[in-house]
Amino acid sequence: MKNTKLFFNGIKDGFQEPGHTLASTVNFFLLTLVFILGIGIVSLLSKIVKKRYLPLKSENKNSYWEKVDIGGEKKKEEYLKPF
Amino acid sequence: MIILGISAFFHDSSACIIKDGKLIAAVEEERFTRKKHDSSFPINAIQYCLKEAGIKGKDLDAVAFYEKPLLKFERVLSQFLDSFPKGLLAFNKTIPSWINEKLRIRSIIKKKIKFYGDVFFIEHHLAHAASSYLLSPYKHAVLLTVDGVGEWASATAGYAKENTLVLEKQIKFPHSLGLLYSTITGYLGMSVNNSEYKTMGLAAYGNPTYYDQLKKIVDIKEDGSFALDMSYFVYQHKMKMPSTKFIQEFGPEKRKNEEMTQKHKDMAASVQKITEETLFKILHSLHKEYKSDNLCMAGGVALNSLANGKILKNTPFKSLFIQPAAGDGGTSVGAAAFTYFSILKKKREYVLNDAYLGPGYTNEEIEKFLKEKEITYTPFKDKKDLTKKVAKLIYENQVIGWFQGRMEFGPRALGARSILSNPCNPKMQEILNVKVKHREKFRPFAPVVCLEDAQEYFECDKEIPLAADYMLLVYPIKEKYRKLLPAITHIDGTGRLQTVRKGQNELYYQVIKEFGKLSNIPLLINTSFNIRGEPIVCTPEDAYRCMMGTGIDYLVLNNFLIKREDNKKDMWDSEEFADD
Ligand SMILES: [Fe+2]
């Protein structure tokens, strides 16, 4: 019984590293696919309509402060949202 | 009412507990896992906090998390959308942790701490601001937070009155003073999000000769608001920071083991000058706008003690508060405090008195450990005898590992897990470096002084801000003492002092005073109790191990004195572990 357990544990340990490699490879390909199809398509469409997601180029204005409303007297429910 | 605060999954994960309006425990996860800046879910820190409160996870009234993860995810996706087709590697590296952890905060909390109640998500910079204001003695203040980046903001400003905090404006990512400082830190061959304080130390050796050149890539307006020329940076889509254009204009990055040249020092001085200029401009404008003389700061840039020490002299503010964990580690406290005082509107009476919020050990626990490990030690029944003995040892140039009471919260050792030594010995910097710290030659050691003696030795502000208790202000050392205090005088004549008040840490206070009786100078070197690359020690075992692996001569564990030479066993060489 003990030997059988050891045998299977050995197999399990032996497969662990190639298992990890396989999982990372699959993950890499899936994520690459998401990157190309998901991010890529949205990004290309955005470029066509000239939409930018980051304010990379700042217009030369008097102040770079941007108005926000963080904190203050908001309802409790506002803070229960993760967004 | 008990609130648990959590900060996790970026860097410096931490947890804290606010019980009936009082911060009773706060600690970074790295101290338990021994992994510097550990960003994993802070389960050890949480368990410690719950133990301190005498409860289980299910008994909590609420949990507060230090950011709004979906807003941050929106920013991360925006970075990839904006830079496509660049960013594939960063995408592959970043996204799995979002799927597995960062977007599953509620379920992780349920699973790991069995808490099924309200989880509050507090915006990152609001948590920063609250960590300062809600622990401060003020009833109103101007708020300024500056860091690398939170969800979208890299800096915010606003005001606070009673229990209400309002942030009215922000500088939006990718424009970031913190990331500019980090870019230069990385450019100088040091680790980003870790070694920024080294850049600050290096600045004193240089002249800001790159100031004009750097100014071209940072546009600073009269109100201090700023924007970066992003053609000089690639951190918005890569795992590195300066762009090819930056390298072309400023020359190649310094490699890790390359010698520090005058150019590197000048770069450090230049970015420090830009940081100070920006901060002072912002503060001038905020003072005018919000009309309060009290200033609360937080965020990684608020750890810039060189700039902090100049704030009251260079701006109209009369009072300044920064809590000891001003970086992301402190946001767990901000989130919990905001939830308790601002959302749940509980009465605000608490003021942070000291940073000793981490694990502590009783004399019985320590003696048990010493006996179990067969360590030779001397117990001291009378605390006065102990402080006199330690002061004498320091006076005789011995290096002391000082482990007393509860561990400090925040990145600085403040007399609970410190290494103490003689600041008057011109060779002490070298001795400490050879024996323990293995740190860069350009980095000075910091002094500790009792509050009432600080004005005698330093050119401090008239009213020394509470932030000095947390080693967050650099002041010039008075000219006449510089030669007498060679080990703590930086090349520019300054020192990053810690002030100690009498009720804060009795034994620490007494050792400093006793040393003063022997040397006529009541100051000590206080440096963190760790070797380079490791977090500050937490347990008696960590402390003993650190002493035995280094050249620390004596270890004081509460009331017990241990001499390294009496315990030759278990030697190991800390040098092989020393890291950046
Ligand atoms: Fe932050």
Side-chain angles (χ1 to χ4, degrees), chain B residues 263-490:
Chain B
K263 180 209 157 163
H264 301 128
K265 296 168 188 169
D266 292 345
M267 280 294 277
S270 306
V271 75
Q272 180 65 28
K273 189 176 171 183
I274 286 196
T275 304
E276 289 175 13
E277 181 187 319
T278 313
L279 286 177
F280 299 158
K281 275 188 170 175
I282 293 176
L283 291 175
H284 268 282
S285 145
L286 294 180
H287 184 269
K288 215 161 138 191
E289 189 174 349
Y290 294 119
K291 298 184 175 53
S292 171
D293 288 338
N294 304 324
L295 171 64
C296 285
M297 281 178 64
V301 176
L303 288 170
N304 193 313
S305 47
L306 192 55
N308 295 345
K310 298 175 188 171
I311 285 176
L312 296 188
K313 279 191 193 87
N314 287 276
T315 73
F317 285 100
K318 293 199 171 82
S319 189
L320 165 69
F321 185 82
I322 307 170
Q323 51 85 11
D328 280 0
T331 50
S332 58
V333 173
F338 187 81
T339 302
Y340 188 86
F341 296 112
S342 301
I343 301 176
L344 303 174
K345 298 189 170 41
K346 300 283 178 188
K347 198 167 177 204
R348 196 180 148 228
E349 282 167 338
Y350 178 75
V351 175
L352 184 74
N353 180 52
D354 59 59
Y356 309 119
L357 296 161
Y361 298 84
T362 61
N363 281 325
E364 291 71 37
E365 285 169 323
I366 291 176
E367 192 155 30
K368 190 172 165 242
F369 159 76
L370 293 171
K371 281 186 173 153
E372 265 173 23
K373 298 276 170 186
E374 295 173 8
I375 295 167
T376 308
Y377 64 93
T378 314
F380 279 77
K381 277 209 175 110
D382 188 341
K383 286 183 176 174
K384 242 188 176 167
D385 290 345
L386 177 66
T387 51
K388 274 188 180 165
K389 172 77 180 169
V390 172
K392 190 166 173 281
L393 289 170
I394 296 173
Y395 186 63
E396 289 162 356
N397 297 314
Q398 303 293 309
V399 176
I400 311 291
W402 179 256
F403 183 106
Q404 286 294 334
R406 295 181 67 185
M407 186 176 64
E408 308 87 341
F409 183 47
R412 308 277 167 261
L414 301 167
R417 305 288 185 272
S418 288
I419 291 171
L420 307 178
S421 60
N422 184 353
C424 308
N425 181 345
K427 290 211 168 127
M428 195 42 81
Q429 191 167 356
E430 200 186 319
I431 293 171
L432 277 173
N433 270 330
V434 170
K435 283 190 169 183
V436 201
K437 303 296 282 188
H438 317 298
R439 55 153 82 165
E440 300 83 351
K441 276 190 209 128
F442 65 81
R443 290 173 54 205
F445 286 97
V448 55
V449 62
C450 298
L451 179 69
E452 61 275 21
D453 298 324
Q455 299 284 4
E456 171 63 27
Y457 295 92
F458 296 87
E459 287 166 25
C460 313
D461 295 303
K462 256 194 190 149
E463 209 164 293
I464 303 174
L466 287 168
D469 291 2
Y470 310 125
M471 221 195 246
L472 287 169
L473 304 167
V474 169
Y475 287 123
I477 296 167
K478 283 192 177 162
E479 193 87 44
K480 60 178 173 178
Y481 291 115
R482 287 182 191 172
K483 282 221 171 83
L484 295 172
L485 294 164
I488 50 118
T489 304
H490 201 13

Side-chain angles (χ1 to χ4, degrees), chain B residues 122-138:
Chain B
I122 313 301
E123 284 95 334
H124 185 82
H125 278 258
L126 189 55
H128 269 314
S131 78
S132 181
Y133 174 71
L134 293 173
L135 305 191
S136 81
Y138 308 142

Side-chain angles (χ1 to χ4, degrees), chain A residues 76 79-80, chain B residues 1-6 16-19 50 55-65 109 113 115-122 332 335-340 343-344:
Chain A
K76 176 182 158 184
Y79 295 102
L80 291 169
Chain B
M1 171 166 266
I2 307 179
I3 316 271
L4 173 75
I6 300 176
C16 78
I17 285 263
I18 289 187
K19 187 178 180 184
L50 293 174
I55 57 162
K56 296 228 158 67
K58 64 178 173 49
D59 305 321
L60 287 162
D61 292 293
V63 170
F65 193 70
I109 288 170
I113 52 178
F115 173 74
Y116 301 94
D118 286 344
V119 178
F120 292 91
F121 295 93
I122 313 301
S332 58
F338 187 81
T339 302
Y340 188 86
I343 301 176
L344 303 174

Side-chain angles (χ1 to χ4, degrees), chain B residues 10-11 66 124-125 128 146-150 299-300 326-328 331:
Chain B
F10 187 43
H11 53 82
Y66 83 120
H124 185 82
H125 278 258
H128 269 314
V146 191
D147 68 359
V149 61
D328 280 0
T331 50

Side-chain angles (χ1 to χ4, degrees), chain B residues 6-23:
Chain B
I6 300 176
S7 151
F9 303 134
F10 187 43
H11 53 82
D12 299 309
S13 291
S14 71
C16 78
I17 285 263
I18 289 187
K19 187 178 180 184
D20 300 328
K22 221 179 138 198
L23 179 62

Side-chain angles (χ1 to χ4, degrees), chain B residues 5 13 102 155 187 205 241 323 332 334 359-360 370 495 499 502 536 548:
Chain B
S13 291
K102 296 175 186 172
Y187 177 82
Y205 290 84
M241 305 197 78
Q323 51 85 11
S332 58
L370 293 171
T499 49
K502 201 168 183 194
I536 293 173
M548 296 309 283

